[in-house]
Amino acid sequence: MDSSWDDLTLTFSHTSMFPFFDIAHYLVSVMAMKHQPGAAAIARKNPVSSWLTAMLHCFGGGILSCILLAEPPLKFLTNHTNVLLASSIWYIIFFCPCDLVSQAYSFLPVQLLAAGMKEVTRTWKIVGGVTHANSYYKNGWIVMIAIGWARGAGGTIVTKFEQLVKGDWKPGGDEWLKMSHASKLTMLGSVIFTFQHTEHLAISKHSLMFFYTIFLVTAKITMMMTETSSVTLGPFEDTLSRMLFGWQKQFSWCETKLSSNGTGSSASKPVPDASQNVKKKHNKKTE
Amino acid sequence: MDSSWDDLTLTFSHTSMFPFFDIAHYLVSVMAMKHQPGAAAIARKNPVSSWLTAMLHCFGGGILSCILLAEPPLKFLTNHTNVLLASSIWYIIFFCPCDLVSQAYSFLPVQLLAAGMKEVTRTWKIVGGVTHANSYYKNGWIVMIAIGWARGAGGTIVTKFEQLVKGDWKPGGDEWLKMSHASKLTMLGSVIFTFQHTEHLAISKHSLMFFYTIFLVTAKITMMMTETSSVTLGPFEDTLSRMLFGWQKQFSWCETKLSSNGTGSSASKPVPDASQNVKKKHNKKTE
Amino acid sequence: MDSSWDDLTLTFSHTSMFPFFDIAHYLVSVMAMKHQPGAAAIARKNPVSSWLTAMLHCFGGGILSCILLAEPPLKFLTNHTNVLLASSIWYIIFFCPCDLVSQAYSFLPVQLLAAGMKEVTRTWKIVGGVTHANSYYKNGWIVMIAIGWARGAGGTIVTKFEQLVKGDWKPGGDEWLKMSHASKLTMLGSVIFTFQHTEHLAISKHSLMFFYTIFLVTAKITMMMTETSSVTLGPFEDTLSRMLFGWQKQFSWCETKLSSNGTGSSASKPVPDASQNVKKKHNKKTE
């Protein structure tokens, strides 16, 4: 490509997240926390615990990657500026008189802008995670993918775990299984950036960051405009899963035979707890 | 102050916790564990697990601070003397014939003495935690506060989490929220010692330790004599919370308007799960 | 002993676990996971989560020991060969057409062979854990025992915790208490190898490994042939527990007096939650 284009992507990849993009990230995270039932009431009853929850929402990804790499989970607290920024955003969101911030945030354009900027920070986090993991384990590409994913999408896991411990949320076996659309996109990006970092992708990092960010933002915006989720990856996933896990369908005659006299495989023996799963599976098979 | 006073506080700040104060700490912790329903029965059914629980009760704070600083949580096991001391106290408390120790402990003076000595160890733990965290992060004052607090009061959190995992205890959303009186005092002390350590308080560490210990012990003793809890911090908290989170009350007219037509703020939209919280909040508002 | 015997044990202690013994370990672990209700259905619905669970089953011990020593829990991912090996075994077990692997595994001789080889890996893990812990803490023999035990038998704990978080399993207070027979044997081996490592046992490590492995394998095989569990350690445990915790029985007259007017000991005061425990205890006492 011509150098002007390179300059554009290069300058883009050098934009600092602080303060504006970080503010957008904290805003979206804390608003998501506030829309949980009873969050505002808890904030008045026990501000300390509400503040802790807000910190988990804002810095969850970093905390998870720290845990996975055996770094101090409190490391994010040493970045005083960001902690104070997030805290003040938490404060004005929860304690602003007349709930002005929530009302301002309830306008769609504001939400779109904030969400888009939050997606930009996601790219930066993934790249940071991949590079950081590589500094630990040379060519440990599985670790790089895992850390990039944890940095980018680990916040949801941390907050879910916090809700679980608090007893606000009882997992029904499936909640943990189905990844959200955002975490799928993050996983994809983490794989891409890892391959780029290990020089399996012949594309410069800054242009890759540019394209991936564009992709993330557009996907997010379209998802928010048309209240549909996981439109982008659906067919891709189907193909992949059919390639990897679907080719046994042609042997269904013997699986049905198995499940008829049920020997060997545990999934085909009708265990009470697993009955609905088995049913699901049979429906899948018959479709 | 005159040097004799300085000498007194200095010598006081140099008293070693081992063995007597540690013994008192282990005694109080294990007795608290034994008074949980069924603890004695479990100790006979499965001594190993009961011993593990006792270790968590005795060294919980250290374990939590180790986790938060990404140090080996087993580090406390390398201090063989203390582990053996705590183990023997666990043994005589649970397996002493005729339950002599429990009977001796049931006398109030013994309890007062043990509790007072345990509070002394709390000061030492806070100071140790703050200094230790500072050795990691220079001027990372938020981390210093957190680690000092974890060392001093983290035991309750660890044991609660252990009960949660064991299924002995179902959290009702609030248990984690309301901090115990001891942990509030520990938080206060952690803040004070952190400011002293970062030289924002013009007082020598040993005299600060002296005064804080006196404060802790007297508060604990008075709480035990008069079965009241959190007498000391009540007004202080009220003032603080009114200053920080109460000044929006004057705008209550618009909040009531909000909650009447309920736009924007989630706290005012009556979500079924949050109804009781919202009710609490409204009561608070109407008072 | 004559040198030929030494050579035999020495060569035995130098056999590498990779690939055959590792394969057996992964096979047994993943088959155990597949026999959980609904595992196969989940594998088709959400392969990613099923793969994660399989990894936890295969590398759980290593992960736990990493956590206890504050090493990155993801370290096992850097060993690409073993991860790919385990993943492919997970794949053929769950997605092999006609469930051939499960059917082959359903034959007893195959199970016996695989289980025996898995027990061999256990010895290697314990020795590795003890040596590794010693490299951290010189003469920290408690830590060495703990890490050796975690490496050898920690997988069950990790997987239980994973089920707990997933909500597949509600602990009834006792599940965590009663150690499995395998973990008891692992604890014994960890103690033995720690004493050998600290030169309290006058036996060479390789012959000790030989004898312990023989003991493990024979115990496992006999347990699988005769569907009895914990035959080997029963009397040993009884003697030990009677020595340590049973000698208070002779003072039962005062304990009964205590439980009659119930002062001091909490176990004798009939708390509703603890009633069944207390009942158990009384039965025990009366037996």
Side-chain angles (χ1 to χ4, degrees):
Chain A
M1 315 180 177
D2 53 333
S3 75
S4 70
W5 171 260
D6 251 4
D7 296 347
L8 167 65
T9 53
L10 203 52
T11 43
F12 172 78
S13 73
H14 285 152
T15 42
S16 112
M17 290 297 101
F18 183 81
F20 299 114
F21 292 91
D22 283 336
I23 289 179
H25 169 58
Y26 301 145
L27 183 67
V28 174
S29 313
V30 179
M31 286 309 297
M33 166 194 163
K34 183 171 186 181
H35 284 88
Q36 289 170 4
I42 287 176
R44 286 175 188 282
K45 263 171 49 197
N46 189 323
V48 176
S49 125
S50 167
W51 177 80
L52 272 175
T53 316
M55 291 302 108
L56 283 182
H57 273 78
C58 292
F59 302 100
I63 294 172
L64 184 63
S65 76
C66 279
I67 293 172
L68 291 180
L69 285 176
E71 293 173 345
L74 290 182
K75 222 173 72 178
F76 75 93
L77 287 176
T78 56
N79 187 345
H80 292 142
T81 332
N82 284 35
V83 172
L84 293 181
L85 190 59
S87 308
S88 45
I89 286 173
W90 162 79
Y91 186 77
I92 61 171
I93 282 182
F94 274 97
F95 298 105
C96 174
C98 306
D99 234 343
L100 289 174
V101 183
S102 306
Q103 293 186 66
Y105 189 79
S106 62
F107 295 125
L108 189 57
V110 182
Q111 290 190 24
L112 289 179
L113 179 64
M117 290 171 81
K118 175 186 164 65
E119 291 308 311
V120 176
T121 63
R122 199 185 291 276
T123 314
W124 263 246
K125 282 182 195 149
I126 296 173
V127 175
V130 169
T131 324
H132 188 57
N134 186 46
S135 72
Y136 269 75
Y137 302 108
K138 289 270 151 257
N139 311 324
W141 54 275
I142 309 182
V143 181
M144 290 159 75
I145 293 176
I147 297 299
W149 178 80
R151 278 257 185 109
T156 54
I157 292 179
V158 172
T159 45
K160 268 207 176 312
F161 188 75
E162 183 239 3
Q163 292 178 22
L164 177 73
V165 170
K166 263 193 190 169
D168 295 350
W169 172 69
K170 294 264 152 293
D174 283 19
E175 274 78 354
W176 292 98
L177 304 190
K178 56 169 90 81
M179 297 164 73
S180 77
H181 184 238
S183 59
K184 280 175 189 166
L185 284 181
T186 316
M187 178 69 80
L188 177 67
S190 180
V191 173
I192 292 176
F193 281 108
T194 303
F195 285 162
Q196 192 279 334
H197 203 283
T198 53
E199 278 122 9
H200 292 88
L201 278 183
I203 177 172
S204 67
K205 173 175 274 177
H206 50 269
S207 40
L208 188 58
M209 283 170 73
F210 184 75
F211 291 129
Y212 181 68
T213 312
I214 298 293
F215 169 59
L216 271 185
V217 174
T218 43
K220 183 74 179 176
I221 300 291
T222 44
M223 274 174 57
M224 288 176 73
M225 302 295 281
T226 69
E227 271 84 4
T228 58
S229 73
S230 73
V231 281
T232 49
L233 291 180
F236 176 62
E237 280 175 31
D238 291 344
T239 334
L240 195 63
S241 68
R242 195 169 293 105
M243 268 170 52
L244 285 176
F245 312 113
W247 55 270
Q248 298 89 345
K249 293 284 169 60
Q250 52 188 315
F251 300 93
S252 53
W253 57 269
C254 65
E255 293 220 8
T256 44
K257 177 176 62 56
L258 270 177
S259 54
S260 60
N261 55 17
T263 58
S265 96
S266 77
S268 47
K269 81 160 80 101
V271 186
D273 309 346
S275 50
Q276 72 286 12
N277 294 337
V278 176
K279 225 180 275 87
K280 281 209 207 71
K281 182 182 164 196
H282 282 309
N283 303 343
K284 219 168 164 198
K285 222 176 280 145
T286 50
E287 84 193 5
Chain B
M1 314 181 177
D2 53 332
S3 75
S4 70
W5 171 261
D6 253 3
D7 296 348
L8 166 65
T9 53
L10 203 53
T11 42
F12 172 78
S13 73
H14 285 152
T15 42
S16 111
M17 289 298 102
F18 182 82
F20 300 115
F21 292 91
D22 283 336
I23 289 178
H25 169 57
Y26 301 146
L27 183 67
V28 175
S29 312
V30 178
M31 286 309 297
M33 166 194 163
K34 183 172 187 180
H35 283 88
Q36 289 169 5
I42 287 176
R44 286 174 189 283
K45 264 171 48 200
N46 189 323
V48 176
S49 128
S50 168
W51 177 81
L52 272 176
T53 316
M55 290 302 108
L56 284 182
H57 274 77
C58 291
F59 303 100
I63 294 172
L64 184 63
S65 76
C66 279
I67 293 171
L68 292 179
L69 285 175
E71 294 173 345
L74 290 182
K75 221 172 72 177
F76 75 93
L77 287 176
T78 55
N79 187 346
H80 292 143
T81 331
N82 284 34
V83 172
L84 294 180
L85 189 60
S87 309
S88 45
I89 286 173
W90 162 78
Y91 185 78
I92 61 173
I93 282 183
F94 274 97
F95 298 105
C96 175
C98 306
D99 234 343
L100 288 174
V101 183
S102 306
Q103 293 186 67
Y105 189 78
S106 61
F107 294 125
L108 190 57
V110 183
Q111 290 191 25
L112 289 179
L113 179 64
M117 290 171 82
K118 176 184 164 64
E119 291 307 310
V120 176
T121 65
R122 198 186 291 276
T123 314
W124 262 246
K125 283 181 195 149
I126 297 174
V127 175
V130 169
T131 323
H132 188 58
N134 187 46
S135 72
Y136 269 74
Y137 302 109
K138 290 270 151 260
N139 311 325
W141 55 274
I142 309 182
V143 181
M144 289 159 75
I145 294 177
I147 297 299
W149 179 78
R151 277 259 185 109
T156 54
I157 292 178
V158 172
T159 45
K160 269 208 177 310
F161 188 74
E162 184 239 2
Q163 292 178 20
L164 177 74
V165 169
K166 264 194 191 169
D168 296 351
W169 172 69
K170 295 260 152 296
D174 283 18
E175 274 78 355
W176 292 97
L177 303 191
K178 58 169 90 81
M179 296 164 73
S180 77
H181 184 238
S183 60
K184 280 174 190 167
L185 286 181
T186 315
M187 177 70 80
L188 177 67
S190 181
V191 172
I192 292 175
F193 281 108
T194 304
F195 284 163
Q196 193 278 335
H197 202 284
T198 54
E199 277 122 10
H200 292 90
L201 278 184
I203 177 173
S204 65
K205 174 175 276 179
H206 50 268
S207 40
L208 187 58
M209 283 171 74
F210 185 76
F211 290 129
Y212 182 67
T213 312
I214 299 292
F215 169 59
L216 271 185
V217 173
T218 44
K220 183 75 179 176
I221 301 291
T222 45
M223 274 175 55
M224 289 176 73
M225 302 295 281
T226 69
E227 272 83 5
T228 58
S229 73
S230 72
V231 280
T232 50
L233 291 181
F236 176 63
E237 283 175 29
D238 291 345
T239 334
L240 196 63
S241 67
R242 195 169 293 106
M243 268 171 52
L244 285 176
F245 312 113
W247 55 271
Q248 299 90 344
K249 292 285 168 63
Q250 51 189 316
F251 301 93
S252 54
W253 56 270
C254 64
E255 295 220 6
T256 43
K257 176 175 63 56
L258 270 177
S259 54
S260 59
N261 54 16
T263 59
S265 97
S266 78
S268 48
K269 81 160 80 103
V271 186
D273 308 346
S275 50
Q276 72 287 11
N277 294 336
V278 176
K279 223 178 279 90
K280 280 209 206 73
K281 182 182 163 197
H282 282 310
N283 304 343
K284 217 167 165 200
K285 221 176 280 146
T286 50
E287 83 195 5
Chain C
M1 316 178 176
D2 54 331
S3 75
S4 70
W5 171 260
D6 252 5
D7 295 347
L8 166 65
T9 53
L10 203 52
T11 42
F12 172 79
S13 72
H14 286 152
T15 42
S16 110
M17 289 298 101
F18 182 81
F20 300 115
F21 292 91
D22 284 335
I23 289 178
H25 169 57
Y26 301 146
L27 183 67
V28 175
S29 312
V30 179
M31 285 309 299
M33 165 194 165
K34 184 172 185 180
H35 283 89
Q36 289 171 3
I42 287 176
R44 287 174 188 284
K45 262 172 50 199
N46 189 321
V48 176
S49 126
S50 167
W51 178 80
L52 272 176
T53 316
M55 290 302 108
L56 283 183
H57 273 78
C58 291
F59 302 100
I63 294 173
L64 184 63
S65 75
C66 278
I67 293 172
L68 292 180
L69 285 175
E71 294 173 343
L74 290 183
K75 222 173 71 178
F76 75 94
L77 287 176
T78 56
N79 187 346
H80 292 143
T81 331
N82 284 35
V83 172
L84 294 180
L85 190 60
S87 308
S88 45
I89 286 174
W90 162 78
Y91 185 77
I92 61 171
I93 282 184
F94 274 98
F95 299 105
C96 175
C98 307
D99 232 344
L100 289 173
V101 183
S102 305
Q103 293 185 67
Y105 189 78
S106 61
F107 295 125
L108 189 57
V110 183
Q111 291 191 24
L112 289 179
L113 179 64
M117 290 171 81
K118 175 185 164 65
E119 292 306 311
V120 176
T121 64
R122 199 185 292 277
T123 314
W124 262 247
K125 281 181 195 150
I126 297 174
V127 175
V130 169
T131 323
H132 188 57
N134 187 44
S135 72
Y136 269 76
Y137 302 109
K138 288 274 151 255
N139 311 325
W141 54 275
I142 309 182
V143 181
M144 289 159 75
I145 294 176
I147 296 299
W149 179 79
R151 278 258 186 109
T156 54
I157 293 178
V158 172
T159 45
K160 269 208 176 311
F161 188 75
E162 183 239 4
Q163 292 178 21
L164 177 74
V165 170
K166 264 192 189 169
D168 295 350
W169 172 69
K170 293 261 152 296
D174 283 18
E175 274 79 353
W176 292 98
L177 304 191
K178 56 169 92 81
M179 296 164 74
S180 77
H181 184 239
S183 60
K184 279 174 190 167
L185 285 180
T186 316
M187 179 67 81
L188 177 68
S190 180
V191 172
I192 291 176
F193 281 108
T194 304
F195 284 162
Q196 193 279 334
H197 202 284
T198 53
E199 277 122 10
H200 292 88
L201 278 183
I203 178 174
S204 66
K205 174 175 276 178
H206 50 267
S207 40
L208 187 58
M209 284 170 73
F210 185 76
F211 291 128
Y212 182 67
T213 312
I214 299 291
F215 169 60
L216 271 185
V217 174
T218 44
K220 183 73 180 176
I221 301 290
T222 45
M223 274 175 57
M224 288 176 73
M225 304 292 282
T226 70
E227 272 84 4
T228 59
S229 73
S230 71
V231 281
T232 50
L233 291 181
F236 176 63
E237 281 174 30
D238 291 345
T239 332
L240 195 63
S241 67
R242 195 169 292 106
M243 268 170 53
L244 284 177
F245 312 112
W247 55 270
Q248 298 91 343
K249 292 285 168 61
Q250 51 188 318
F251 300 93
S252 53
W253 57 269
C254 64
E255 293 220 8
T256 44
K257 177 177 59 57
L258 271 179
S259 55
S260 60
N261 54 17
T263 58
S265 94
S266 76
S268 47
K269 80 161 78 102
V271 186
D273 308 345
S275 50
Q276 73 284 14
N277 294 337
V278 175
K279 223 179 278 88
K280 281 210 208 73
K281 181 180 162 197
H282 282 310
N283 303 342
K284 217 167 164 200
K285 222 176 277 144
T286 50
E287 82 194 8

